Structures are given as C-alpha cells and as structure tokens.
Amino acid sequence: MYPISRHSPRLHLRYLHPGDAEGLFAIYGDARATEHMSFDPRTRDDIDAIVARSITSAATDPRQEYALAVSDNEDGRVIGFGRPTSSQDAADASPLGAGDRTRRSRPCGGGTG
C-alpha cells in the first residue's frame, strides 16, 4: 500500500513530504481552524514532529499509523491532514479535516473534492 496517492480535479491525497510543515502549521497552528477539533492549536515544533513521525511511519512494516495530506492541485499547498484508522483505533484518531483559504475548519466529505 505504499505510496498512497489519489487525485481529483482539485485535490491530491498523499503522504506527507518534508516541505509540508508550513501548510500544516497554517491549519493546526490557527486557533480558529482548531476551534472544533479535539486539541488546542499546535506549535511549529509539534508540527515538525508530526511530519517527521508521519514520514517515518509511512515506510514501516507493519504499519502502525496512516497519515495523509490533502494538497491543492493548483499550487501543491497542504490544505488538510488526517489519520484514517480502524474503528478500534477511533478514540485515538483525528478525522480528516481541512482549512479553507480563510482558515476556517471544515470536514472533508465523501465527495470528489
């Protein structure tokens, strides 16, 4: 299953890359974007650790964690992040979510993006 990469006309679902910390911080470091999430805004150090852990876990076998970025096809910028899990792991998971261009948080639906 490595690597996961799915495209729609607007979005790309993929593993995180080292350069994704800035885009992820724009979402997870913003109090308005995390207002309805299960955690407080993250620091840049928190985000750097999330990205590093996610990159490392993508290459492990067996996999313990799946972490996926949602990026904009137009500019490649990360606009969402999630950790899909099985129902047994749901209590420790974060749902797939995204910050729009005004940095408001909104869930990613089952549509085609």
Side-chain angles (χ1 to χ4, degrees):
M1 293 204 59
Y2 182 79
I4 292 174
S5 179
R6 299 290 183 264
H7 290 270
S8 77
R10 289 184 33 232
L11 303 174
H12 183 192
L13 182 66
R14 60 172 173 75
Y15 289 126
L16 285 164
H17 302 150
D20 290 336
E22 188 68 31
L24 189 55
F25 182 65
I27 301 165
Y28 279 7
D30 186 288
R32 290 182 300 159
T34 59
E35 181 179 358
H36 301 288
M37 294 183 182
S38 62
F39 54 84
D40 291 329
R42 304 292 193 208
T43 67
R44 180 57 193 254
D45 287 342
D46 293 337
I47 298 303
D48 290 342
I50 289 169
V51 171
R53 184 183 71 233
S54 298
I55 291 169
T56 299
S57 73
T60 61
D61 187 25
R63 293 291 296 274
Q64 299 297 313
E65 176 182 3
Y66 285 85
L68 301 170
V70 180
S71 62
D72 184 306
N73 282 337
E74 196 171 300
D75 60 13
R77 183 174 54 94
V78 171
I79 59 171
F81 172 79
R83 287 182 19 229
T85 64
S86 68
S87 61
Q88 294 99 338
D89 298 328
D92 297 326
S94 64
L96 285 172
D100 67 16
R101 299 222 187 260
T102 60
R103 293 182 156 189
R104 291 175 299 201
S105 179
R106 60 182 167 80
C108 289
T112 59

